[in-house]
Amino acid sequence: MSANPSVAVPTVKLLINGEFVESRTKEWRDVVNPATQEVLARVPFATAAEVDAAVAAAKEAFKTWRKTPIGTRARVFLRYQQLIREHMKELAALLTAEQGKTLPDAEGDVFRGLEVVEHAAGIANLQLGELANNVATGVDTYTLLQPLGVCAGITPFNFPAMIPLWMFPMAIACGNTFVLKPSEQDPMVTMRLVELAVEAGIPKGVLNVVHGGPDVVNAICDHTDIKAVSFVGSTKVGTHVYNRASLAGKRVQCMMGAKNHAVILPDAAKEPTLNAMAGAAFGAAGQRCMAASTLVLVGTAREWIPELVAKARALKVHAGTEAGTDVGPVISCAARSRIEGLIEAGVAEGATLALDGRNPQVPGYEKGNFVGPTIFTGVKPGMRIYDEEIFGPVLIVLEVEDLDAAIALVNSNPNGNGTAVFTQSGAAARKFQDEIDVGQVGINLPIPVPLPMFSFTGSRASKLGDLGPYGKQVVTFYTQTKTVTARWFDDDVSAHGINTTISLK
Ligand code: NAD
């Protein structure tokens, strides 16, 4: 936390009722470049009055936005997707500066969000009700998918472009208004995306942004004028948000932490499988909720460990802005200390440190939060490195004898975000997809994040709430189904006598 902002460092603005405004708070936090420790901006922790003002603006704007024609709503997102494309390089540079991931991966972050914006532009085909004609004589039943009102989104640091874009475009396209609370660690690219959304034509009050930490999140959970909350972040905070917002009567979806197991069978295509593993374990410095952080080697696949270690060792650890970087810094000094502490715990608990990525040399970026690719073998459930989400470039390796044992291991882990199997056997892959109790399954694909025509899923401790972000599920999440049963009397009213039964006649 820092003192009131000085003139030299820019401040991150709130968006309330169409105006980008300076917060009146006394609490600010530095937004820091994780490769250099340069302070890029200061982000406010909004006051309770500012949260109220954002919600009030959204509530007022809902009165007209909910009645805005669906084609008009869709065209805002057609313009928006074009603006995001035109600003892709600028957005990626901003994202890399504050988050640390490599420039190509930052473009990927924006692009995966852009795909949801494109999907939102197709809202006219998504928000369709159903109709049954003549459910009784002269009676039709049909459904309306009506927007809920003010919705809110709370986002994590690791995808500061994609995850906000999972939320507000689909909510707003459905006719809702929105209050977004971005991660306080890297809010700048999110705000640039919000500026572009306003430029694309989102009317004043329809999208609002407040910044902050637990107090702002709690205010969102408690606010009686907010109807739905979408949260993405850690399991601890997500569980708190789910309980608190549900208790306050809101619809809630929480996408949370993970421990994604990748299972390699001995018949897998070795070279592409090991390349996929190195990319999926260490890309984005392991700070992806779908990172393949836990490798399960079946039978003789355990002989591939030295080659995997060699591939990991060859990855270039450097600033995300440097050409050829594979692994950038982790988000903060605190994250680096936490990851290094878990590596120490792994050693103390008896796992074998096959590759130690601590304290890598990164010339020109000596102050950066770097941890290089790290691999533990001989890992067992019960060790902290297995039981906790490390969320850094650390791959843990377990060995089992057969596919049944691998499936049992994955299913006994509490998390259910993503998993993958590598094999050339269709029968083995089919058994895995059928028996595995995890929301998102990859077959010879390490990070199976679905495109927006599907919904992001997840199960067990990785998700609370029935419906996932984007895809068809999110239209259900952001709308209330209303069923209308209608009869229009014809001229012969004498044909309609008194009916005292439950049946429609
Ligand atoms: P986080 O839970 O620390 O923060 C998420 C949001 O909650 C932020 O906006 C933050 O300001 C707020 N917050 C933090 N502490 C809070 C508290 N005590 N009370 C109320 N609000 C609080 O998560 P993070 O570190 O930003 O992101 C990493 C986590 O997110 C990892 O666990 C990762 O697996 C998870 N994640 C999950 C998915 C998914 O789809 N399942 C996607 C991305 C990230």
Side-chain angles (χ1 to χ4, degrees):
M1 209 67 71
S2 62
N4 221 12
S6 72
V7 269
V9 179
T11 52
V12 182
K13 305 292 185 280
L14 309 174
L15 173 61
I16 298 177
N17 205 24
E19 304 287 331
F20 290 93
V21 292
E22 189 87 311
S23 172
R24 299 185 167 199
T25 186
K26 292 196 166 47
E27 270 185 75
W28 296 77
R29 177 190 162 116
D30 292 341
V31 179
V32 178
N33 181 324
T36 62
Q37 310 303 340
E38 179 196 355
V39 177
L40 302 170
R42 290 196 171 99
V43 62
F45 280 37
T47 65
E50 288 165 342
V51 176
D52 282 346
V55 177
K59 188 178 179 186
E60 183 61 27
F62 181 64
K63 290 178 190 164
T64 44
W65 184 246
R66 70 185 287 271
K67 295 189 175 171
T68 301
I70 201 161
T72 306
R73 285 186 262 134
R75 278 188 288 277
V76 169
F77 293 97
L78 275 178
R79 284 192 293 276
Y80 189 31
Q81 63 81 27
Q82 184 58 31
L83 283 172
I84 294 174
R85 277 176 206 285
E86 287 167 11
H87 292 80
M88 180 62 86
K89 295 281 173 208
E90 175 203 344
L91 291 161
L94 205 51
L95 199 161
T96 293
E98 63 179 342
Q99 204 277 350
K101 64 178 72 173
T102 66
L103 285 170
D105 199 29
E107 279 198 36
D109 190 330
V110 178
F111 189 78
R112 295 305 303 257
L114 171 62
E115 290 175 319
V116 183
V117 176
E118 293 169 344
H119 192 66
I123 192 64
N125 284 316
L126 298 169
Q127 201 175 354
L128 292 175
E130 295 173 316
L131 185 143
N133 192 212
N134 285 329
V135 294
T137 307
V139 177
D140 302 325
T141 296
Y142 50 94
T143 56
L144 309 176
L145 303 187
Q146 295 196 305
L148 302 175
V150 182
C151 301
I154 299 158
T155 58
F157 81 83
N158 65 327
F159 282 99
M162 177 183 81
I163 292 178
L165 293 177
W166 279 4
M167 295 182 182
F168 72 80
M170 287 303 295
I172 290 173
C174 287
N176 300 288
T177 57
F178 207 82
V179 177
L180 177 68
K181 206 299 282 175
S183 170
E184 68 279 28
Q185 299 199 74
D186 48 12
M188 295 169 70
V189 70
T190 314
M191 286 315 286
R192 188 69 190 110
L193 282 163
V194 165
E195 285 171 8
L196 294 177
V198 170
E199 194 180 328
I202 289 187
K204 73 171 189 173
V206 171
L207 174 61
N208 303 272
V209 185
V210 290
H211 301 285
D215 290 348
V216 171
V217 170
N218 289 340
I220 287 171
C221 293
D222 296 345
H223 206 297
T224 48
D225 287 332
I226 294 177
K227 305 298 176 201
V229 175
S230 181
F231 170 91
V232 179
S234 64
T235 303
K236 184 171 168 219
V237 178
T239 306
H240 163 77
V241 165
Y242 188 83
N243 291 336
R244 189 156 178 157
S246 299
L247 204 62
K250 296 178 193 1
R251 199 175 275 196
V252 197
Q253 60 173 203
C254 293
M255 313 307 296
M256 306 184 291
K259 199 79 184 173
N260 306 309
H261 293 57
V263 175
I264 300 183
L265 299 182
D267 70 347
K270 186 174 174 185
E271 186 64 15
T273 296
L274 294 180
N275 286 341
M277 273 314 300
F282 304 117
Q287 298 172 118
R288 293 179 179 136
C289 67
M290 289 288 283
S293 62
T294 305
L295 175 58
V296 183
L297 294 173
V298 177
T300 54
R302 61 170 60 95
E303 292 161 14
W304 300 357
I305 289 173
E307 282 159 88
L308 181 61
V309 170
K311 284 182 187 294
R313 184 178 280 121
L315 294 174
K316 181 174 168 184
V317 181
H318 219 299
T321 46
E322 298 287 326
T325 298
D326 297 302
V327 180
V330 297
I331 185 72
S332 63
C333 298
R336 180 185 172 178
S337 306
R338 189 181 48 75
I339 294 161
E340 289 175 346
L342 279 163
I343 295 173
E344 276 166 36
V347 173
E349 289 179 337
T352 304
L353 191 52
L355 181 63
D356 184 357
R358 287 174 290 182
N359 302 312
Q361 299 305 303
V362 185
Y365 296 90
E366 284 75 11
K367 293 185 185 161
N369 312 319
F370 293 98
V371 182
T374 297
I375 298 180
F376 274 109
T377 58
V379 176
K380 303 260 182 290
M383 293 179 176
R384 280 186 63 203
I385 51 173
Y386 183 80
D387 293 348
E388 295 179 27
E389 184 181 30
I390 301 175
F391 222 57
V394 181
L395 177 67
I396 58 169
V397 184
L398 296 88
E399 296 169 28
V400 295
E401 288 315 314
D402 55 26
L403 179 58
D404 283 321
I407 291 171
L409 177 72
V410 177
N411 287 349
S412 61
N413 187 284
N415 296 284
N417 208 37
T419 188
V421 66
F422 290 87
T423 178
Q424 293 296 83
S425 158
R430 196 166 185 284
K431 175 182 167 74
F432 186 85
Q433 77 178 24
D434 188 44
E435 295 182 12
I436 211 74
D437 188 6
V438 172
Q440 295 169 112
V441 181
I443 297 175
N444 296 313
L445 259 169
I447 303 192
V449 176
L451 264 62
M453 61 290 274
F454 298 92
S455 299
F456 193 90
T457 50
S459 65
R460 298 188 283 133
S462 295
K463 184 180 175 207
L464 284 167
D466 297 334
L467 301 167
Y470 63 82
K472 288 188 186 130
Q473 291 187 8
V474 97
V475 176
T476 306
F477 180 76
Y478 283 129
T479 59
Q480 176 67 46
T481 304
K482 187 181 278 179
T483 312
V484 181
T485 300
R487 163 184 286 154
W488 295 96
F489 295 117
D490 51 30
D491 290 343
D492 184 11
V493 288
S494 64
H496 300 279
I498 296 173
N499 175 16
T500 56
T501 73
I502 187 79
S503 308
L504 289 173
K505 288 190 176 155

